[in-house]
Amino acid sequence: MEPKKKLINSVDSCVDEALCGLVRASGGLSLLRGHRVVLRADLDNLKGKVALLSGGGSGHEPAHGGYLGAGMLSAAVAGGVFASPPPASILAAILCLHHAGASGVLLIVKNYTGDRLNFGLAAEQARNHGVLVDMVIVAEDCAFDQPSKAGRRGLCGTIFIHKLAGALAEEGCPLDQIVSKVTEVLKGIGTLGVSLSPCSVPGCLPSFDLPPGDMELGLGIHGEPGIKRLKVASADELVKTMIDHITNPDSQSHLPLKSGDSVVVCVNNLGALSCLEMAVVTGAAIICLENRGVVVARVMSGSFMTSLEMAGVSLTLMRADQETLRLFGDSTFWKIVCLSKRPLSPVMRKALERVCSTLLEKQEELNSLDRAAGDGDCGNTHAQAAKAIREWLQDHVVPDCPGQLLSVLAGLVQEKMGGSSGALYSLFLTAAAARVTEGQNIAAAWARALCVSSSGAESTRNLTAMAGRASYIAAERVTLPDPGAMAVAAILRAVLESLEGQK
């Protein structure tokens, strides 16, 4: 038997390429350099609010990178396929959210040993950095009548917690109150899965063998087999079996549900069911619950937490009072918030690209000016910055807010440019970031700045250097303009030309 065919480029790169594809397809996301961490592009909006971080192994898409946005997750960290992410990446995500001004960070973790260990370790390390952080463990699996010491697994009910905690955070609720609320809600969530086929990790054989005509009941989301093997039944029969199991009072992991209770239902495609089958199962679930006297207040039907290409479905039920329904939202079709695109700000991207081209073209000219009064590397230093910005542009969407872009650039030049120039540019960009808003006439402001910078750069011919290497050279020998000042003028000119080209 051979591994199942997958439409990927390579086993080793598929996770990173999938994350890149997710980010490139959405205007509201970015990647944290050096880590498999997806971030909201509008992190400024987290100031004073609790940030939400979730994640786990890849292969469950759209979980969890597909749930970033206002009122949902602030960041998601991805491990390899069906593998927990490393503590270093989780910690990097926490610190990023903390530095963005979040009042606290809530970790939403599925109850698997690797996830609990790695998220728990990162949380402890974050506390040592002074971050207010807490963790909610989702363990709503109803498969086992007598759960093992490890407890119940975390499954698609995790998405409900994203939504509810996200709504509370967006309203400005403090961390301890969010934890208290969702912990209470978790007691009223139950999930059960069934599959008609196994799945296979890229490069590997199928996770278990399932003969024709059989289906697996009570399986998890990592390709592990379930608790019981049944003969394939009709949708109505299968749904009744699943709901009976979820609500069976003889099971230690059951969800108590009685006539008159109000619920939110999630019919989750584990990967490969057709839309037709999903619609049939969804209708069967609603009818089955209504026949029990249960009020179906909200319905979600689609792919929310998959298991690669597994042909199966999970049912998640959540008891919901009026407050829970309010937080959950009014729409009967629950929309994934991150899929609404923000403008990609093509003007600012083109301006950056032009700045980079200009600095690379002027590399030798700036070096030549610098040789007259310094060590001759001014052009090289600016070229380093240009290359770093170009590399960043390949993997990131330019944020819609000019101030946020300037903050990003401040960090880039501080890290990659080096020398006095890197520090000076970082100071300038950081100060400018706090003062630039979308409503300003940026082109007019830039034209004035270019005029001042050009005349200022030319006037440096006659200045006496008071600091730096030029201060050690006799003034009469320093007759050329300062290369750093010329570089600033060239940058401003490139930006203005780009802005004027958009008119």
Side-chain angles (χ1 to χ4, degrees), residues 183-363:
T183 300
E184 188 62 31
V185 170
L186 271 168
K187 297 174 184 176
I189 303 179
T191 297
L192 187 69
V194 68
S195 181
L196 307 175
S197 78
C199 65
S200 59
V201 172
C204 299
L205 296 174
S207 52
F208 58 88
D209 178 52
L210 192 58
D214 282 3
M215 58 185 179
E216 196 84 18
L217 183 73
L219 70 173
I221 53 172
H222 300 97
E224 68 269 40
I227 57 161
K228 191 185 297 183
R229 191 158 288 185
L230 306 172
K231 289 299 177 183
V232 174
S234 69
D236 286 343
E237 292 170 326
L238 175 58
V239 165
K240 183 179 184 304
T241 298
M242 295 175 75
I243 293 177
D244 284 347
H245 191 99
I246 291 172
T247 59
N248 180 9
D250 295 330
S251 169
Q252 292 180 13
S253 60
H254 80 287
L255 172 68
L257 199 61
K258 64 183 185 299
S259 177
D261 283 347
S262 181
V263 298
V264 176
V265 182
C266 178
V267 184
N268 172 55
N269 191 340
L270 287 171
L273 281 194
S274 66
C275 293
L276 184 145
E277 291 166 286
M278 284 295 295
V280 171
V281 173
T282 301
I286 295 169
I287 292 169
C288 183
L289 289 164
E290 287 178 343
N291 287 342
R292 289 166 165 253
V294 174
V295 178
V296 180
R298 301 281 189 278
V299 179
M300 297 163 56
S301 180
S303 297
F304 298 98
M305 185 171 288
T306 61
S307 187
L308 291 170
E309 79 286 2
M310 185 178 283
V313 64
S314 66
L315 290 181
T316 302
L317 307 178
M318 176 176 69
R319 290 199 311 268
D321 58 17
Q322 287 305 308
E323 173 63 4
T324 301
L325 292 175
R326 183 189 71 78
L327 293 169
F328 197 78
D330 295 328
S331 175
T332 53
F333 178 74
W334 191 71
K335 295 177 175 61
I336 302 173
V337 294
C338 78
L339 297 184
S340 57
K341 283 196 173 187
R342 298 177 58 193
L344 300 186
S345 198
V347 177
M348 290 194 289
R349 174 175 282 273
K350 287 183 179 179
L352 275 180
E353 289 168 347
R354 189 155 188 156
V355 166
C356 293
S357 299
T358 298
L359 291 179
L360 290 169
E361 288 167 6
K362 291 185 173 293
Q363 182 174 354

Side-chain angles (χ1 to χ4, degrees), residues 413-437:
V413 297
Q414 180 177 312
E415 179 185 356
K416 301 290 187 181
M417 192 174 188
S420 300
S421 295
L424 289 169
Y425 275 109
S426 185
L427 280 170
F428 165 74
L429 290 166
T430 300
R435 292 167 174 80
V436 176
T437 65

